[in-house]
Amino acid sequence: LPIFQGHAARVRDDAADLCSAPLCPEGEHTLILGGSQLCLQIHESVGHPTELDRVLGREVDLAGSSFATTDKLGFAYGSEAVNLTADSTVPTGLDTRGWDDDGVPSQRWSIVEQGRFRGYLTDREVARHGGETASRGCSRAESWYDPPIVRITNLSLEPGTWDFDALVADTEDGAIFADTVRTWSIDQRRVNFQFTCELAREVKDGRLGRLLRRPTYQGRTETFWNSCDAVCGPEHFELWGVPNCGKGNPMQVAEMSHGAAPARFRGVQFLR
C-alpha cells in the first residue's frame, strides 16, 4: 500500500494536467521509453515472436505467426545494448515456479544477447526444432482441462549503465519521453507495430519539460530494437506484471512478468 500511496499525488496531477496538455508532435524523434511501456513492447515484439510453436506454425489462432524463423538464429534482433533474458526463477515474477506443466525445471537463458538472437521459448514437443536438445520449460496450461502450450515466461530487458537524469541530459531537445500503456496494435507476424501511451514529456535543455498527450509511435520490430543506444542501470529496473496474456484456441490466459529500466531509441516515427 505505501508504494501506491507514494505515486498518488503524481498520478492525480498528471491526470488533471492531461486534460489540457497539447498532443504529442508527429514526425521523427528520439524516444526514451519508460519501464511500464517497455513491458508491453517486450511482450508483443519479443515474447510472442519467440514462442517456437508460433514460429513453426503450430499455433497461429490468436495473434498469428512470427517473423523470427529458425534460420534467423544469430541475426541482429537489436543493437549491442539490447540483452533480453527469459527467467522462470526470478523472485516475485508472475511466472516464477519450480517446474512447468511438462515437469521441466525452471531456468534462465538468453533470448537476445548483445543484440544477437540466441534462443526460443520452448516445450518438450518443439525444442528440437529450435536447435536444442531439451525444453526450456515453457509449457503451461490455464487449468487441468486445458492442453499445455508454449507460453511466454518472465522475460526482461537487462539493465545497462546509464543514470536516468544523465540519459535525459545526454539527449537532444525535442526528444520524447513516453510511458504508461494506452492502446497497441501489432501485425500477425509481429513485425509492424503501433503503440499509444497515456502521457509523454518533451526533452528540453537536458530535462523533462512540458507534458504531452497521447504519444503514438510506430515501427518495425528489428529496426526498433536496433535503434536502442542506451539502457538505464539496475537502480531504475522494475519487474512489471502481465496478468492477462491470451493464446490458443480455445483461448487460455496466462501471467508473466517483464522487467525493464528506461531505454533510448533513435529515429522513431510519431503520429498524431
Side-chain angles (χ1 to χ4, degrees), residues 128-249:
R128 63 187 178 88
H129 297 288
E132 299 189 359
T133 58
S135 167
R136 288 296 187 178
C138 299
S139 179
R140 284 194 287 159
E142 180 179 356
S143 184
W144 61 268
Y145 52 78
D146 292 303
I149 55 177
V150 175
R151 300 310 304 253
I152 305 171
T153 188
N154 307 315
L155 174 61
S156 299
L157 176 66
E158 295 294 330
T161 59
W162 283 83
D163 174 73
F164 180 74
D165 290 339
L167 177 62
V168 174
D170 182 70
T171 305
E172 72 279 4
D173 285 1
I176 303 296
F177 169 79
D179 203 8
T180 310
V181 176
R182 183 184 175 101
T183 62
W184 69 95
S185 176
I186 193 165
D187 72 19
Q188 70 274 17
R189 298 190 69 244
R190 302 281 158 173
V191 175
N192 300 287
F193 62 80
Q194 180 172 307
F195 292 90
T196 300
C197 301
E198 288 286 356
L199 57 83
R201 290 194 179 273
E202 183 180 48
V203 175
K204 180 73 172 177
D205 297 328
R207 298 181 179 180
L208 296 184
R210 62 174 179 156
L211 187 69
L212 300 169
R213 180 164 49 95
R214 210 172 68 206
T216 299
Y217 66 96
Q218 64 177 197
R220 293 173 60 85
T221 293
E222 295 176 48
T223 303
F224 182 79
W225 286 107
N226 274 279
S227 75
C228 180
D229 72 345
V231 182
C232 287
E235 65 274 21
H236 303 289
F237 180 91
E238 292 188 63
L239 194 64
W240 302 87
V242 176
N244 58 346
C245 176
K247 182 180 178 181
N249 186 8

Side-chain angles (χ1 to χ4, degrees), residues 48-155:
H48 280 307
T50 60
E51 295 168 318
L52 190 53
D53 61 340
R54 189 182 301 279
V55 171
L56 299 174
R58 299 187 182 188
E59 172 48 61
V60 297
D61 285 297
L62 191 63
S65 59
S66 171
F67 76 96
T69 48
T70 54
D71 59 311
K72 288 194 170 185
L73 281 169
F75 90 111
Y77 206 112
S79 70
E80 290 188 358
V82 175
N83 294 278
L84 289 144
T85 304
D87 189 351
S88 50
T89 69
V90 62
T92 73
L94 293 186
D95 185 36
T96 297
R97 25 76 184 177
W99 299 265
D100 74 351
D101 288 347
D102 285 343
V104 176
S106 296
Q107 54 197 281
R108 174 185 171 93
W109 72 102
S110 288
I111 300 295
V112 177
E113 181 180 19
Q114 293 185 320
R116 295 291 172 177
F117 182 32
R118 297 302 186 198
Y120 290 101
L121 304 161
T122 65
D123 63 8
R124 284 179 168 176
E125 181 181 0
V126 300
R128 63 187 178 88
H129 297 288
E132 299 189 359
T133 58
S135 167
R136 288 296 187 178
C138 299
S139 179
R140 284 194 287 159
E142 180 179 356
S143 184
W144 61 268
Y145 52 78
D146 292 303
I149 55 177
V150 175
R151 300 310 304 253
I152 305 171
T153 188
N154 307 315
L155 174 61

